Amino acid sequence: MEFCPDCGAMLMPSNGKVKCRCGYEKSLTNDDIEEQYHMEGEKNPEMKVIVTDKNNVALPTTTITCYKCGGTKGYWWTVQTRSADEAPTNFIRCANCGNTWRSSN
Ligand SMILES: [Zn+2]
Ligand SMILES: [Zn+2]
């Protein structure tokens, strides 16, 4: 990714050049082009949110203290809220009684 030295805007690659809306343009070398290509690939990995059926998937286990039954083994999973701005929410389920709650962290 390159930025315009004149106005600081993001430069858009186009036909072997990068162009800015202010009129600045620069020819790309093959190295530049390759760099752009690699960065694209790294910036856009296939982000797959794992949506689990919470009832029949082997969830990772953790040590808990269930406030209902006092059980110490629990399952946990993460739910990404619809807004990507918000942190994912962790849920914990007691393996003993099925009590489910949000993790405080
Ligand atoms: Zn510019
Ligand atoms: Zn419990």
Side-chain angles (χ1 to χ4, degrees), residues 1-2 29-40:
M1 198 59 70
E2 288 197 64
T29 66
N30 282 339
D31 281 355
D32 287 336
I33 291 166
E34 201 160 293
E35 212 169 275
Q36 296 271 347
Y37 175 81
H38 283 301
M39 287 191 67
E40 280 292 300

Side-chain angles (χ1 to χ4, degrees), residues 3-11 19-24:
F3 296 92
C4 176
D6 292 343
C7 72
M10 191 186 293
L11 296 173
K19 291 188 177 179
C20 178
R21 61 190 173 204
C22 76
Y24 172 85

Side-chain angles (χ1 to χ4, degrees), residues 64 66-71 73 94-99 101:
I64 56 148
C66 175
Y67 61 84
K68 272 192 180 171
C69 73
K73 185 184 169 193
C94 174
N96 187 42
C97 73
N99 182 27
W101 66 93

Side-chain angles (χ1 to χ4, degrees), residues 6-101:
D6 292 343
C7 72
M10 191 186 293
L11 296 173
M12 304 306 288
S14 147
N15 295 326
K17 293 179 174 180
V18 286
K19 291 188 177 179
C20 178
R21 61 190 173 204
C22 76
Y24 172 85
E25 68 173 60
K26 181 187 125 181
S27 297
L28 288 174
T29 66
N30 282 339
D31 281 355
D32 287 336
I33 291 166
E34 201 160 293
E35 212 169 275
Q36 296 271 347
Y37 175 81
H38 283 301
M39 287 191 67
E40 280 292 300
E42 281 170 29
K43 281 204 160 182
N44 301 305
E46 277 196 57
M47 291 290 287
K48 281 183 184 161
V49 177
I50 300 162
V51 180
T52 57
D53 178 343
K54 297 158 196 101
N55 290 317
N56 61 17
V57 173
L59 294 166
T61 58
T62 187
T63 303
I64 56 148
T65 305
C66 175
Y67 61 84
K68 272 192 180 171
C69 73
T72 56
K73 185 184 169 193
Y75 303 106
W76 65 270
W77 67 94
T78 300
V79 176
Q80 175 67 56
T81 48
R82 279 171 224 287
S83 161
D85 296 340
E86 290 175 44
T89 306
N90 293 323
F91 286 89
I92 293 177
R93 168 173 294 165
C94 174
N96 187 42
C97 73
N99 182 27
T100 303
W101 66 93

